[in-house]
């Protein structure tokens, strides 16, 4: 009833507010710049005094975007645009009365530090997508693809183009030379492109735009000006071939008797990537034996709740154009395509007998992969991906020298097809996706799905100058496999069909398929005036399964959510802008149980001195978890209150910081948390930047799940009080010799330690009071010997059940030192030294001692790698 009441109140409020508040969307006249064909070709050296630029006129009259929208900027900017048959040329003059204060910060590519200009080109002219080219005052280049009308910016795109910059007595200047082959546009008599130029004065934290975009506008790309004059432009089909070679040497502690761990390994690898322009809109990417090495390791993490952890994709082939393939259908990271499933670590470990050693593959080899993607002139966004991973075998050797092989991963084919179509003057789109995973099990791997399919449709519609929107999606999944495989899926943490108190699902060990559904519907106001609001529903049916090539953390859930915001967008003597929002959500399972209710208030303030503050308060009066007892009955958490506060200094200074504190308190102090966060950024001089991010978290949970065991014909769900402390520090150093040559260091020690005490078992899992939910073991019921707890629950002198000591101390240390040289545009040389290791330490040690022992006392693994790429471009 509360669910429907909250929806009704919100709808009434939105209706009254929409009627009472007249939408104030400032309709700004579109600016137009008309380019001309060049007569002479300029040299791209950052200077703009050449005669070649005289063929076109300057355009200026930039308007401030932040902090004081709609006003004259501190310093004006002007630009020129001209072209020939293959390139777009742009000259920029950024005036500044104090050239000595211009921030010429060197960084690696896509560093986006210091004074800079961004040229924003919507060559599709779909008013949602743009190619963004950035040049800093130090001549550092950066590129992004902006999607979702400016809501998403992806810097993984690395086209070949040319730029440089110079500082002079009037400010600084920049030149750009952008090949048409790196853009996407259709074949028409005259191209009309969306166009804008953004200038950032770093020391003042000030942005100004050529085409003014008021803060109350709902979009960014859609509100750009226009570039005219590109007549009879011949689309340039892209052709790029990039071979690579890598030489790697690994050194690690030798294992006595293990022939596969003798202390060192050496290997040479090579492959090839190709990019072929089928049309100027659509590109085919091919790869043979791709290099999916990652410069940085995944961050340290440990999951006590049993659910899988999401890690971001860092492999270049999958990162590029990832926005086309994304299909986020619910909330969080849920997605029908999670590219890290391709080339994942094998599902099995080798089965070793006494006296045997194994050389196991770390990842599944990708035999080949291809992507066909792009966006057409008439509004079709298309992406097709095909990839095949090989059979993977562990090589096993006995002490006597005999060898054998054991398969640990089957040959697998992955297929993804994605499409969207714009219509209604680019104010709406509808799209769909289909994924397929097929494994060649060949009579083996009965625990894996033989096939998995998923599909979905999505849409978005905006109206009233994009001020209001409605969007949604609906998906289905279907997995096939042996009875063992489908039973395993039913028993997984995301489902737990064996739950003893579930009446809407049941475990069926004879099934050979599962079919599920999910989706999201949301409606709201995103522009006009100071109010913003939205509301919606998310659902995931119990039988939904996406984890063969997607990511799905949990099923059997219906989420109702709503949010309202008020924005103060006009600066005062105290602040630049303020965002205040209220949020509410409730969750239900498909049995009709309400599992959660939460209310939260948050305020974000950007102060006039460029400092910032974020404050949030929340209350959770209702909290249940179906999966907490791993197949046991529904579990009730204690009511929660939480607070978080962050404040940061001016990021335009050479030294800046962010400090944060999170505090969660529960009734009867059942599950309390404190977390401290400190981030420091320091740029002692233009070529060197240093960042440090340290987080410390402490959780005291009196009812942390440990294991399930049998007591006669009853189940015992064993819990304990955990003191869980986690500490991580991430250090990054970047020294740039010039815009194309840099040295980078990344280091992260991470430790998570848990100590258990006060063991207990579940009594009434949904009782309101803690003393009714659990029963404590008395000292006479529990004894400890050889890392095992023995329980004599009925005190008859016999051990009724046991469980292992659950204390842990997980320690991970990772470092990378990378020297990178882009010796010609698009071609790079890397020298890499990586050092790291993972271990489980004595939980009795302090956090600092465990970290010190891992770094100084344990022998770590070292990797030395040289990698070279060369990009052939036509």
């Amino acid at each position: 009833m509360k669910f429907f009441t909250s929806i009704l109140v919100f709808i009434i409020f939105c209706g009254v507010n929409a009627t009472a508040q007249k939408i104030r969307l400032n309709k700004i006249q579109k600016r137009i710049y008309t380019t001309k064909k060049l007569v002479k070709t300029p040299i791209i050296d950052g200077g703009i005094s050449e005669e070649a630029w005289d063929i076109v006129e300057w355009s200026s009259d930039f308007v401030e975007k932040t902090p004081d929208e709609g006003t004259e900027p501190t310093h004006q900017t002007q630009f020129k645009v001209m072209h020939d048959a293959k390139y777009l040329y742009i000259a920029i003059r950024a005036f500044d009365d104090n050239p000595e204060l211009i921030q010429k910060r060197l960084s690696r590519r896509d560093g986006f530090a210091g004074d800079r200009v961004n040229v924003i080109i919507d060559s599709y002219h779909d008013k949602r997508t743009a190619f963004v080219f950035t040049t800093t005052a130090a001549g550092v280049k950066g590129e992004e693809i902006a999607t979702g009308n400016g809501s998403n910016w992806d810097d993984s795109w690395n086209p070949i183009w040319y730029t440089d910059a110079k500082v002079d007595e009037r400010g600084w200047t920049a030149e750009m030379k952008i090949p048409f082959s790196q853009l996407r546009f259709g074949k028409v008599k005259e191209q009309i492109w969306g166009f804008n130029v953004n200038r950032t004065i770093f020391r003042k934290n000030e942005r100004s735009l050529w085409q003014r975009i008021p803060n109350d506008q709902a979009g960014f790309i859609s509100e750009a000006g226009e570039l005219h004059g590109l007549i009879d432009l011949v689309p340039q089909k892209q052709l790029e071939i990039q071979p690579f070679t890598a030489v790697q040497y690994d050194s690690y502690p030798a294992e006595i008797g293990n022939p596969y761990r003798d202390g060192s390994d050496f290997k040479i690898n090579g492959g090839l990537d190709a990019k072929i322009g089928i049309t100027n809109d659509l590109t085919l990417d091919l790869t043979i034996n791709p290099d999916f090495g990652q410069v940085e390791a995944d961050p340290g993490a440990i999951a006590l709740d049993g659910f899988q952890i999401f890690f971001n994709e860092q492999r270049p082939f999958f990162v590029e154009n990832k926005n086309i393939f994304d299909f986020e259908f619910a909330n969080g990271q849920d997605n029908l395509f999670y590219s890290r499933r391709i080339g994942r670590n094998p599902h099995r470990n080798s089965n070793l007998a006494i006296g045997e050693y194994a050389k196991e593959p770390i990842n599944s080899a990708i035999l080949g992969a291809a992507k066909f993607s792009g966006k057409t002139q008439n509004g079709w966004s298309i992406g097709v991906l095909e990839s095949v991973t090989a059979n993977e075998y562990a090589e096993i050797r006995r002490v006597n020298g005999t060898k054998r092989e054991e398969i640990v991963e089957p040959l697998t084919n992955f297929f993804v097809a994605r499409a969207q179509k714009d219509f209604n003057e680019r104010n709406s789109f509808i799209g769909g996706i289909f994924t397929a995973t097929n494994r060649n099990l060949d009579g083996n791997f009965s625990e894996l799905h033989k096939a998995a399919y998923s599909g979905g449709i999505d849409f978005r519609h905006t109206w009233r100058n994009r001020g209001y929107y409605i969007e949604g999606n609906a998906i289905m999944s279907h997995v096939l496999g042996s009875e063992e495989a489908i039973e395993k899926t039913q028993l997984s943490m995301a489902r737990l069909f064996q739950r003893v108190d579930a009446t809407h699902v049941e475990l069926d060990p004879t099934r050979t398929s599962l079919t599920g559904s999910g989706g999201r519907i949301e409606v709201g106001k995103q522009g006009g005036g100071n109010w913003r609001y939205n509301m919606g529903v998310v659902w995931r049916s119990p039988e939904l399964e996406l984890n063969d090539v997607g990511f799905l953390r949990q099923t059997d859930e219906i989420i109702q959510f709503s949010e309202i915001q008020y924005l103060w967008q006009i600066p005062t003597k105290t602040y630049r802008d303020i965002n205040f929002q209220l949020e509410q959500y409730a969750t239900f399972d498909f049995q009709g149980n309400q599992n959660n209710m939460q209310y939260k208030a948050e305020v974000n303030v950007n102060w006039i001195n460029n400092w910032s503050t974020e404050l949030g308060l929340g209350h959770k009066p209702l909290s249940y978890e179906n999966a907490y007892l791993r197949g046991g009955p529904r579990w009730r958490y204690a009511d929660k209150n939480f607070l978080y506060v962050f404040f940061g200094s001016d990021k335009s200074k050479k030294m800046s910081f962010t400090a944060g504190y999170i505090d969660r308190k529960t009734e009867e102090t059942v599950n309390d948390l404190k977390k401290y966060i400190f981030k420091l950024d320091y740029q002692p001089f233009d070529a060197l930047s240093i960042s440090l991010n340290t987080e410390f978290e402490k959780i005291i949970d009196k009812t942390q799940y440990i294991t399930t065991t049998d007591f006669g014909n009853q189940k015992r769900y064993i819990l304990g009080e955990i003191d869980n402390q986690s500490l991580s520090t991430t250090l990054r150093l970047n020294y740039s010799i010039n815009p194309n040559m840099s040295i980078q260091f990344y280091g992260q020690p991470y430790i998570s330690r848990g100590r258990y005490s006060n063991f207990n078992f579940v009594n009434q899992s949904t009782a309101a009071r803690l003393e009714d939910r659990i029963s404590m073991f008395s000292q006479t019921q529990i004894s400890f010997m050889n890392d095992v707890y023995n329980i004599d629950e009925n005190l008859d002198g016999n051990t009724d059940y046991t469980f292992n000591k659950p204390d842990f101390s997980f320690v991970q240390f990772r470092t990378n030192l990378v020297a990178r040289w882009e010796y010609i545009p698009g071609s790079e040389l890397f020298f890499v030294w990586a050092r790291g290791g993972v271990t489980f330490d004595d939980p009795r040690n302090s956090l600092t001692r465990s970290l010190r022992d891992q770094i100084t006392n344990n022998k770590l693994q070292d990797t030395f790698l040289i990698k070279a790429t060369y990009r052939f471009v036509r």
Side-chain angles (χ1 to χ4, degrees):
M1 186 63 185
K2 292 180 180 178
F3 168 69
F4 295 105
T5 301
S6 63
I7 289 181
L8 181 60
V9 170
F10 191 83
I11 289 174
I12 293 173
F13 172 81
C14 291
V16 171
N17 185 67
T19 302
Q21 176 185 292
K22 187 175 181 180
I23 302 302
R24 187 175 53 86
L25 283 171
N26 295 313
K27 193 67 175 178
I28 304 298
Q29 183 176 359
K30 291 276 187 181
R31 301 189 68 183
I32 295 174
Y33 185 91
T34 302
T35 181
K36 296 180 181 179
K37 196 166 185 177
L38 60 78
V39 176
K40 295 182 179 180
T41 302
I43 298 172
I44 306 302
D45 58 2
I48 58 173
S49 58
E50 296 172 79
E51 182 183 347
W53 289 108
D54 294 342
I55 194 69
V56 287
E57 300 295 325
W58 289 108
S59 184
S60 187
D61 297 327
F62 278 54
V63 178
E64 190 170 317
K65 174 65 173 174
T66 59
D68 194 2
E69 197 283 314
T71 63
E72 178 79 10
T74 304
H75 302 293
Q76 264 298 339
T77 309
Q78 58 185 23
F79 68 88
K80 294 182 175 183
V81 183
M82 60 185 184
H83 71 94
D84 59 17
K86 292 187 176 181
Y87 299 96
L88 191 72
Y89 298 85
I90 302 170
I92 296 170
R93 157 63 71 183
F95 292 100
D96 199 312
D97 295 336
N98 300 290
E100 69 280 359
L101 298 180
I102 293 171
Q103 296 293 300
K104 305 181 295 296
R105 298 191 178 187
L106 282 167
S107 69
R108 61 183 180 180
R109 187 169 181 166
D110 296 331
F112 305 113
D115 284 59
R116 57 192 181 271
V117 289
N118 316 96
V119 174
I120 302 157
I121 302 173
D122 176 12
S123 56
Y124 291 124
H125 210 207
D126 66 355
K127 302 181 181 180
R128 292 199 297 122
T129 310
F131 302 95
V132 184
F133 298 86
T134 299
T135 302
T136 75
V140 178
K141 67 170 62 171
E143 316 86 11
E144 298 165 285
I145 292 182
T147 57
N149 203 357
S151 60
N152 301 306
W153 298 72
D154 181 5
D155 63 5
S156 62
W157 178 53
N158 287 314
I160 291 179
W161 62 293
Y162 310 88
T163 187
D164 207 346
K166 288 183 178 179
V167 175
D168 59 23
E169 70 280 358
R170 301 173 65 192
W172 64 282
T173 60
E175 290 179 300
M176 297 180 178
K177 177 182 176 182
I178 302 171
F180 289 129
S181 64
Q182 305 298 301
L183 301 172
R184 299 290 177 266
F185 52 91
K187 189 174 182 180
V188 293
K189 177 67 175 177
E190 180 181 3
Q191 303 285 335
I192 297 178
W193 294 352
F195 187 82
N196 213 343
V197 179
N198 175 84
R199 190 239 180 123
T200 298
I201 303 176
F202 192 76
R203 68 183 183 273
K204 294 181 175 293
N205 200 18
E206 178 184 296
R207 291 174 56 212
S208 57
L209 291 171
W210 173 67
Q211 170 68 65
R212 180 191 173 194
I213 303 177
N215 288 337
D216 63 358
Q217 290 288 350
F220 185 78
I221 307 302
S222 60
E223 308 309 309
E226 292 181 353
L227 181 65
H228 291 199
L230 297 168
I231 300 172
D232 293 328
L233 201 64
V234 178
Q236 303 292 314
K237 294 182 181 179
Q238 187 175 14
L239 176 59
E240 298 179 10
I241 300 175
Q242 186 174 39
F244 83 90
T245 184
V247 179
Q248 181 174 328
Y249 174 78
D250 296 310
S251 176
Y252 49 84
E255 296 180 13
I256 298 175
N258 188 343
Y260 299 113
R261 301 288 293 178
D262 59 3
S264 65
D265 294 317
F266 178 81
K267 59 183 177 182
I268 299 176
N269 191 24
L272 182 143
D273 293 332
K275 188 183 295 290
I276 304 169
I278 305 302
T279 69
N280 200 66
D281 301 313
L282 303 170
T283 303
L284 177 65
D285 292 87
L286 303 172
T287 183
I288 301 172
N289 190 30
D291 174 36
F292 290 152
Q294 295 171 207
V295 172
E296 293 183 6
D298 292 322
I302 187 168
L304 294 179
D305 59 7
F307 292 102
Q308 61 178 313
I309 299 172
F310 181 92
F311 291 112
N312 290 323
E313 179 62 82
Q314 300 181 57
R315 301 172 297 178
F317 177 81
F318 291 113
V319 166
E320 188 171 359
N321 281 346
K322 65 181 181 180
N323 60 288
I324 290 180
F325 293 89
D326 272 350
F327 195 101
E328 295 182 1
F329 78 93
N331 58 347
Q333 289 92 18
D334 290 345
N335 203 310
L336 268 68
F337 179 49
Y338 179 46
S339 57
R340 290 191 62 145
R341 303 293 185 203
I342 303 175
R344 55 156 292 160
N345 57 304
H347 283 86
R348 282 185 184 173
N349 294 319
S350 53
N351 186 19
L352 299 179
I354 297 175
E356 289 186 330
Y357 298 92
K359 181 181 180 181
E360 297 186 347
I362 299 175
N363 299 102
S364 303
I366 299 177
L367 298 177
K371 289 193 304 185
F372 178 70
S373 59
K375 187 163 188 176
T376 66
Q377 181 78 12
N378 59 1
W380 277 102
S381 175
I382 299 171
V384 179
L385 183 145
E386 171 75 18
S387 180
V388 178
T389 58
N391 283 322
E392 290 294 337
Y393 296 87
E395 182 181 289
I396 299 171
R397 182 181 295 181
R398 295 187 61 84
V399 176
N400 62 13
T402 59
K403 294 182 182 179
R404 64 183 178 90
E405 284 188 337
E406 184 177 300
I407 191 168
V408 293
E409 181 73 13
L411 180 76
T412 306
N413 176 259
F414 301 93
F415 176 80
V416 181
R418 179 79 162 105
Q420 281 187 343
K421 178 65 170 72
D422 299 339
F423 62 97
N424 189 28
E425 298 182 346
R426 310 289 187 175
N427 288 314
S428 308
F429 72 78
I430 187 168
I433 189 172
F434 173 76
T435 77
T437 305
N438 290 279
R439 297 185 175 93
N440 181 17
L441 302 183
D442 196 23
N444 205 331
F445 294 97
S446 59
E447 74 276 19
L448 298 182
H449 297 146
K450 178 177 178 59
Y453 306 102
S454 68
I457 58 172
D458 60 343
F459 73 93
R460 180 179 174 88
H461 173 61
T462 62
W463 65 96
R464 289 202 182 183
N465 201 20
R466 298 180 177 85
Y468 292 91
Y469 71 95
I470 181 170
E471 64 181 18
N473 56 65
I475 68 166
M476 291 192 68
S477 69
H478 183 63
V479 294
L480 302 164
S482 66
E483 292 180 355
E484 178 186 348
I486 300 303
E487 182 179 14
K488 181 181 177 183
T489 304
Q490 294 177 78
L491 294 171
S492 66
M493 275 294 295
R495 281 157 210 88
L496 298 171
F497 282 9
Q498 74 275 28
R499 297 200 309 267
V500 296
D501 57 349
T503 60
H504 62 302
V505 293
E506 62 177 343
L507 178 63
D508 183 353
T510 66
R511 297 189 66 171
T512 56
S513 68
L514 287 177
T515 301
S517 64
R520 174 189 179 100
I521 186 74
E522 180 179 336
V523 61
K525 177 176 179 288
Q526 61 181 1
N530 296 342
W531 290 99
R532 306 286 187 273
Y533 45 77
N534 66 78
M535 62 181 299
V537 177
V538 171
W539 71 95
R540 309 178 189 90
S541 77
E543 295 189 344
L544 184 66
E545 168 62 331
L546 304 175
N547 287 322
D548 289 273
V549 72
F551 187 90
L552 178 67
R553 191 173 187 269
Q554 193 169 355
T555 66
D556 193 11
E557 191 171 46
I558 302 170
I559 304 173
Q560 168 270 322
F561 61 91
S562 60
E563 177 182 331
I564 186 168
Q565 299 181 61
Y566 188 82
L567 308 176
W568 287 263
Q569 302 179 84
I570 300 176
T572 68
K573 294 181 180 180
T574 306
Y575 61 82
R576 287 172 174 256
D577 58 79
I578 301 176
N579 180 351
F580 176 75
Q581 60 188 39
L582 297 173
E583 300 176 15
Q584 169 272 332
Y585 81 85
T587 69
F588 305 80
D589 62 28
F590 276 65
Q591 188 172 317
N593 299 309
Q594 184 174 359
N595 287 335
N596 286 284
M597 175 64 79
Q598 178 174 297
Y599 306 95
K600 189 179 80 171
E602 180 179 286
V603 60
N604 292 271
V605 184
N606 292 315
W607 303 102
I608 198 66
N609 62 355
N610 288 331
W611 286 51
S612 62
T613 301
E614 177 182 359
L615 174 65
L617 301 167
H619 175 54
K620 201 168 187 177
L622 181 70
S623 183
Y624 291 86
E625 174 61 65
N626 288 341
Y628 187 72
L629 297 179
R630 315 297 203 267
R634 187 164 167 255
W635 172 257
R636 176 170 181 165
Y637 290 104
D639 294 352
K640 298 181 180 69
N641 294 302
F642 58 89
L643 171 149
Y644 55 90
V645 58
F646 289 83
F647 62 94
S649 65
D650 183 354
K651 289 181 170 55
S652 67
K653 304 298 183 183
K654 287 187 176 293
M655 180 177 289
S656 63
F657 71 90
T658 300
Y661 171 68
I662 302 172
D663 190 1
R664 181 184 70 206
K665 294 186 181 299
T666 57
E667 284 188 348
E668 303 178 89
T669 63
V670 174
N671 185 350
D672 291 357
L673 173 147
K674 292 184 184 296
K675 187 172 185 176
Y676 305 88
I677 300 167
F678 182 75
K679 301 178 182 179
L680 178 69
D681 293 290
Y682 180 45
Q683 184 116 21
F685 50 93
D686 287 339
L688 178 64
S689 62
I690 304 169
S691 68
L692 181 71
N693 182 3
T694 298
E695 298 184 7
F696 173 74
E697 180 180 88
K698 181 180 177 66
I699 299 174
I700 302 294
D701 187 350
K702 296 178 180 178
T703 58
Q704 173 62 51
Y705 175 84
I706 297 173
T707 189
T708 300
T709 188
D710 292 320
F711 177 50
N713 59 359
Q714 302 179 53
K715 290 290 185 182
R716 279 288 179 258
Y717 304 97
I718 309 301
L719 314 177
E721 180 175 332
I722 186 175
D723 179 354
N724 184 201
Q725 299 182 25
S726 299
L727 174 66
S728 70
T729 297
T730 303
L731 174 66
R732 299 177 189 270
L733 306 175
N734 187 88
Y735 179 74
S736 298
I737 300 168
N738 58 51
N740 300 314
M741 187 179 296
S742 63
I743 300 172
Q744 303 152 35
F745 173 82
Y746 163 87
Q748 186 197 62
Y750 171 83
I751 179 171
S752 181
R753 185 197 66 196
R755 297 172 177 170
Y756 287 80
S757 61
N758 299 325
F759 297 100
N760 56 82
F761 63 89
V762 176
N763 187 19
Q764 301 177 41
S765 63
T766 58
R769 297 189 306 170
L770 177 63
E771 62 181 22
D772 296 324
R773 286 199 297 275
I774 62 171
S775 294
M776 302 293 298
F777 290 118
S778 67
Q779 292 184 348
T780 55
Q781 289 177 306
I782 188 169
S783 61
F784 180 71
M785 182 180 297
N786 298 326
D787 286 340
V788 174
Y789 286 96
N790 301 281
I791 307 297
D792 178 11
E793 186 176 325
N794 57 16
L795 298 176
D796 64 356
N798 297 315
T799 298
D800 297 312
Y801 48 88
T802 64
F803 59 90
N804 295 327
K805 183 180 180 181
D807 293 8
F808 64 88
S809 182
F810 172 80
V811 186
Q812 175 180 286
F813 180 66
R814 292 280 188 266
T815 63
N816 295 96
L817 182 64
V818 180
R820 171 190 170 272
W821 177 30
E822 187 175 359
Y823 54 95
I824 59 174
S827 301
E828 298 172 308
L829 186 63
F830 294 91
F831 298 89
V832 181
W833 172 39
R835 162 168 277 208
V838 176
T839 189
F840 288 90
D841 199 45
D842 189 339
R844 293 173 296 181
N845 291 340
S846 66
L847 296 183
T848 53
R849 179 178 175 182
S850 292
L851 287 174
R852 184 179 67 248
D853 289 348
Q854 169 71 346
I855 297 171
T856 61
N857 296 346
N858 290 340
K859 292 183 179 180
L860 302 174
Q861 176 167 325
D862 291 287
T863 296
F864 300 90
L865 182 142
I866 300 175
K867 175 188 171 184
T869 68
Y870 185 84
R871 187 183 289 189
F872 298 90
V873 181
R874 191 195 73 173

